Amino acid sequence: MEKIIEIQHVSKSYGYLLNKVKVLDDLSFSVNKGEFVGIMGPSGAGKSTLLNVISTVDTPSSGLVKISGKNILEMRSGQLSDFRRRKIGFIFQDFNLVESLNVKDNILLPLAIDHIPVHTMEERLQHVAEILNIEKILTAYPAAVSIGQKQRVAAARALIVNPMLIFADEPTGSLDSKAAAELLQYMSEMNRQDRATIVMVTHDPYTASYCNRVLFIKDGSFFSEVVRQGSREQFFNQVIDMQATIGGGNRLDHF
Ligand code: ADP
């Protein structure tokens, strides 16, 4: 199995001296090419921080982050931004759509930078727009579309580059259940057909049930993992059981 992500002894703290808070505490794990991995844990466990560190958006206080064998902490910033643009799709909570561009141009933005031929862009656009059900709003501006539609536009923009790695933070957070199922279905297809590796943070067991493996973290440390073996429904139940074991509390519950 080819390891695409390797995290070794990663810690992350915020603040100084007495105010120092350790958000990630000596985490080590790897993700193989073609996996669809979920990250779950109570609120405040460090899930988003971990995803930011793995996805090159943030840097750890100590430890090593390798993607495709390369230590990303040693990459020069130009190399890193090329790598992000060409190889990684981000589906994060804040959509970061450009308000002055319509939906279509927002989605095509990552391709435009790389001078991809127009017909190729149009083909890919049609494909993602159809699957994410946003064909009818392609000429609308972000201000005029709903939150759920914005999320799907952001997903389309992330997926149009056919990324080898997809990072998603609560990708279904503001979608209704039908739109959520459609997006998850599409992500699963990208995972199966295109062998895209996906790492997704979620608090929702239904969303997590689309993964092959779910890592649970608590107080910034590894707690356990659940690997899918049977049906999605069985996996869903395993995820719920583990959620009950880990408990819903965050640090503040101790006070
Ligand atoms: P989760 O995604 O599991 O809810 P986060 O990774 O968002 O958890 O946050 C983990 C902890 O780190 C929280 O206690 C949060 O308050 C703290 N934290 C996150 N970002 C910062 C920051 N920039 N400065 C200080 N503390 C932060």
Side-chain angles (χ1 to χ4, degrees):
M1 277 285 182
E2 185 189 336
K3 282 182 189 161
I4 193 158
I5 299 171
E6 285 176 82
I7 304 294
Q8 292 169 9
H9 304 292
V10 161
S11 295
K12 173 93 186 169
S13 302
Y14 289 111
Y16 295 98
L17 301 170
L18 291 176
N19 292 323
K20 198 165 172 175
V21 184
K22 205 163 201 184
V23 176
L24 299 178
D25 191 4
D26 196 21
L27 276 166
S28 297
F29 63 89
S30 54
V31 175
N32 290 326
K33 187 168 166 45
E35 274 198 293
F36 188 167
V37 173
I39 298 174
M40 296 188 86
S43 164
K47 303 182 292 295
S48 295
T49 306
L50 175 61
L51 195 73
N52 287 343
V53 166
I54 309 175
S55 64
T56 75
V57 172
D58 202 351
T59 50
S61 307
S62 59
L64 205 65
V65 179
K66 281 186 179 176
I67 298 186
S68 293
K70 284 197 198 84
N71 180 350
I72 56 165
L73 305 173
E74 284 173 358
M75 275 192 196
R76 276 178 287 116
S77 68
Q79 255 181 321
L80 194 58
S81 51
D82 269 5
F83 178 76
R84 278 197 200 113
R85 210 178 59 239
R86 299 211 169 97
K87 307 273 176 144
I88 301 182
F90 295 97
I91 312 179
F92 280 2
Q93 275 161 327
D94 48 354
F95 315 118
N96 282 326
L97 299 180
V98 181
E99 295 291 331
S100 58
L101 295 179
N102 69 18
V103 163
K104 174 179 169 178
D105 290 337
N106 261 287
I107 299 172
L108 292 177
L109 201 56
L111 297 184
I113 296 167
D114 274 344
H115 308 295
I116 307 270
V118 174
H119 69 273
T120 312
M121 290 210 240
E122 288 289 340
E123 261 172 36
R124 289 202 207 162
L125 176 71
Q126 284 311 318
H127 182 61
V128 288
E130 192 181 317
I131 286 166
L132 292 167
N133 193 19
I134 46 176
E135 293 156 293
K136 293 204 178 80
I137 55 159
L138 288 176
T139 54
Y141 283 82
V145 308
S146 72
I147 298 272
Q149 285 170 329
K150 275 195 182 118
Q151 187 141 30
R152 279 178 281 156
V153 173
R157 187 189 48 191
L159 301 177
I160 200 161
V161 297
N162 286 340
M164 69 166 199
L165 249 174
I166 298 169
F167 294 107
D169 193 348
E170 300 285 6
T172 55
S174 43
L175 300 183
D176 61 42
S177 54
K178 182 166 171 281
E182 276 169 5
L183 176 59
L184 289 163
Q185 206 66 52
Y186 184 54
M187 288 171 70
S188 294
E189 252 169 60
M190 293 211 46
N191 173 245
R192 275 198 301 269
Q193 290 178 14
D194 303 338
R195 303 274 296 149
T197 307
I198 307 180
V199 181
M200 171 173 78
V201 164
T202 182
H203 71 279
D204 174 35
Y206 173 79
T207 300
S209 71
Y210 281 82
C211 299
N212 321 118
R213 175 161 69 109
V214 176
L215 301 174
F216 286 82
I217 61 168
K218 185 171 186 172
D219 294 336
S221 302
F222 177 78
F223 185 80
S224 72
E225 71 173 6
V226 181
V227 179
R228 177 170 166 180
Q229 269 139 2
S231 68
R232 193 157 65 75
E233 196 179 341
Q234 283 167 338
F235 190 50
F236 172 75
N237 288 321
Q238 281 175 278
V239 168
I240 290 206
D241 286 348
M242 187 52 71
Q243 244 191 342
T245 308
I246 199 170
N250 59 30
R251 293 160 203 275
L252 294 174
D253 289 355
H254 301 302
F255 295 96

